[in-house]
Amino acid sequence: RMPSTCMAEKREVELLRQAKQGDRHAQEAIVRRYRPLIEARARTFARPGVDRDDLVQEGVLSVLRAIRRFDENRANGFAAFA
């Protein structure tokens, strides 16, 4: 059974707080959660001569940068921010 949206949002906010404090497990959990989006965006930008794995890696690095910069007190959610 899937957790309610409210519970999932609370869990994500808690993971983001932990990740901002340097918790590697929380950072990895967030990257895993956003991996399908990262993969989809990499496919969008894939071109001959551009390695898809490089695009995915850049997406992962972007998510990690977004974790450090995200302010959970703002109205936008993390997905919109990242």
Side-chain angles (χ1 to χ4, degrees), residues 6-24:
C6 184
M7 285 183 69
E9 288 173 9
K10 287 179 184 178
R11 174 69 179 139
E12 183 172 90
V13 168
E14 183 58 33
L15 275 174
L16 285 165
R17 285 184 186 142
Q18 292 170 354
K20 275 183 109 165
Q21 294 173 357
D23 183 328
R24 292 281 180 201

Side-chain angles (χ1 to χ4, degrees), residues 14-57:
E14 183 58 33
L15 275 174
L16 285 165
R17 285 184 186 142
Q18 292 170 354
K20 275 183 109 165
Q21 294 173 357
D23 183 328
R24 292 281 180 201
H25 295 291
Q27 292 170 355
E28 290 171 8
I30 293 168
V31 168
R32 275 194 308 276
R33 180 178 180 140
Y34 285 93
R35 185 70 182 227
L37 178 61
I38 294 168
E39 296 271 349
R41 298 301 292 163
R43 282 191 300 276
T44 299
F45 288 100
R47 301 284 182 269
V50 178
D51 187 42
R52 190 190 67 82
D53 290 338
D54 288 343
L55 293 171
V56 170
Q57 184 63 32

